[in-house]
Amino acid sequence: MASSSKPDAQETSYIEMDNKNDATLIGKHCEYDYCNQLDFLPFFCQSCRKTFCLDHRSETTHKCANAGAWAERKRLAQLSQPSIGSNKVLRDKISQKPCASPDCKTVVGTSLTPGVHCETCNRDYCLKHRFKEDHDCKNLVPVGARPAQFDISQTTKSAFDKLRAWGSAKKQQAGRALPKPKPTSTSARLIAVNNLKKSAKGDAKVAPEKRVYIYVEAEAETTKAKFPKGEFFYSQDWVVGRVLDAAARSLQVQNINNQSSDERDKLRVFHVEGGRLLEFNEKIGTALQSGNTVVLLRGVGPPPDLIEA
């Protein structure tokens, strides 16, 4: 026999049977002793599994033989569901520690005193010192932060100003000694490149069609080199950083780019024909042409966006 529950069916021991969607259902006799009334809207008891009329629908009125069974099933179903805090560790169970206020001896992180975490200074306090004004939060350096964190923007701006001025002076000083670009006429450049190919040195494993032949010089004002200049070829797929490493080895120039974070110690590559410093991640196949000249400069500053006036 078809049956269904209404929205509040789980709150009572009985549910109203559904005869609206079953054309064969023409009522049901109440199963309570001495009643036997024919009810076209009967009720089904979820405890004793019998059908009753309106007057005997509750467990009390029909003296249910299995009273409370539906309530027990409901209770067990609720207990089987996971609780909200399931598989989670509360902060107060992580560790027990004294209140972060210097003069307070209260231990926080216990079941009685869970403690309050201050997001500003990154410390744990008892209830008495939980407010910022109670533990002098404004005068505390946050745990894990640098002492000069509050002035970092001004400090960074000042450092950039000094570096910008220093880098500009270095560029002007080095610019006076930089070589002039090679001849730009087609015929003169072809002759120069052919001569360069005869004398250039490089990795023999680089395929001839991928070679870029260039002049490399070490600028005397900023860089000390055993060999001031040389003629080399490199693969067009190499980035400028790799070319810099290879050229520094060939000219025996000290290269500590990977050891120092100070721009004053770093080598950079200046493209004479392009009139600019090359980025370390640029491919020389797109930045240079055979016959071009590059100069190794030390301490001319970071990329242009940091030192341009």
Side-chain angles (χ1 to χ4, degrees):
M1 183 173 292
S3 65
S4 64
S5 61
K6 289 189 176 182
D8 61 345
Q10 296 299 322
E11 301 301 327
T12 60
S13 62
Y14 55 87
I15 57 174
E16 184 177 345
M17 299 181 67
D18 186 5
N19 67 345
K20 299 177 182 178
N21 299 321
D22 190 349
T24 62
L25 185 61
I26 56 175
K28 184 78 173 178
H29 288 277
C30 176
E31 295 186 59
Y32 180 62
D33 294 340
Y34 311 112
C35 180
N36 201 33
Q37 176 181 345
L38 178 64
D39 198 322
F40 291 96
L41 293 175
F43 293 88
F44 180 75
C45 178
Q46 298 186 86
S47 293
C48 63
R49 319 295 293 179
K50 293 183 180 180
T51 306
F52 299 94
C53 64
L54 177 64
D55 294 334
H56 300 109
R57 66 185 186 277
S58 67
E59 291 181 348
T60 304
T61 55
H62 70 255
K63 299 179 181 179
C64 185
N66 196 20
W70 74 276
E72 180 65 15
R73 290 196 301 270
K74 179 180 178 182
R75 186 182 70 85
L76 294 176
Q78 291 177 340
L79 290 176
S80 64
Q81 296 178 354
S83 61
I84 296 177
S86 170
N87 299 324
K88 295 182 179 179
V89 179
L90 300 179
R91 181 179 180 85
D92 59 4
K93 292 185 179 180
I94 295 177
S95 62
Q96 296 183 9
K97 62 180 73 174
C99 173
S101 181
D103 300 328
C104 184
K105 303 301 181 182
T106 304
V107 177
V108 299
T110 65
S111 58
L112 296 177
T113 311
V116 179
H117 184 72
C118 179
E119 297 291 345
T120 304
C121 64
N122 200 24
R123 291 174 172 84
D124 295 314
Y125 296 93
C126 64
L127 296 178
K128 181 180 178 180
H129 299 104
R130 67 186 185 276
F131 296 114
K132 295 182 179 180
E133 55 271 18
D134 293 332
H135 61 259
D136 198 21
C137 188
K138 63 180 180 179
N139 294 322
L140 296 176
V141 177
V143 174
R146 296 179 180 178
Q149 175 178 330
F150 303 104
D151 300 327
I152 191 168
S153 59
Q154 184 62 31
T155 303
T156 303
K157 182 177 183 299
S158 177
F160 279 160
D161 289 341
K162 293 179 181 178
L163 186 58
R164 184 182 296 112
W166 178 83
S168 298
K170 279 289 186 182
K171 281 187 174 181
Q172 292 176 359
Q173 179 184 2
R176 292 192 293 269
L178 291 178
K180 303 301 181 192
K182 299 293 187 294
T184 56
S185 65
T186 304
S187 58
R189 195 171 71 84
L190 287 176
I191 294 174
V193 170
N194 287 332
N195 293 333
L196 178 59
K197 288 181 179 180
K198 297 176 183 179
S199 58
K201 300 177 182 180
D203 188 350
K205 296 179 182 179
V206 178
E209 65 273 11
K210 288 193 173 184
R211 295 179 180 179
V212 178
Y213 297 85
I214 59 175
Y215 301 95
V216 181
E217 299 187 18
E219 200 274 314
E221 291 292 333
T222 60
T223 307
K224 293 181 180 180
K226 185 173 182 180
F227 305 103
K229 62 178 63 178
E231 299 168 350
F232 307 99
F233 65 83
Y234 307 102
S235 172
Q236 63 184 10
D237 296 328
W238 288 13
V239 295
V240 171
R242 183 174 179 181
V243 171
L244 171 61
D245 292 340
R249 285 194 300 268
S250 299
L251 299 181
Q252 296 189 19
V253 176
Q254 184 185 26
N255 181 11
I256 56 174
N257 283 17
N258 295 329
Q259 303 173 20
S260 175
S261 59
D262 191 346
E263 274 295 335
R264 303 172 188 235
D265 299 329
K266 289 189 175 183
L267 286 174
R268 290 194 174 271
V269 178
F270 181 79
H271 182 205
V272 175
E273 284 74 14
R276 68 183 182 93
L277 290 173
L278 300 180
E279 297 288 347
F280 292 139
N281 59 355
E282 289 186 70
K283 286 190 175 182
I284 65 168
T286 57
L288 303 176
Q289 294 180 352
S290 291
N292 285 174
T293 301
V294 297
V295 181
L296 304 185
L297 302 174
R298 188 186 304 280
V300 293
D305 59 333
L306 292 181
I307 63 171
E308 282 184 350

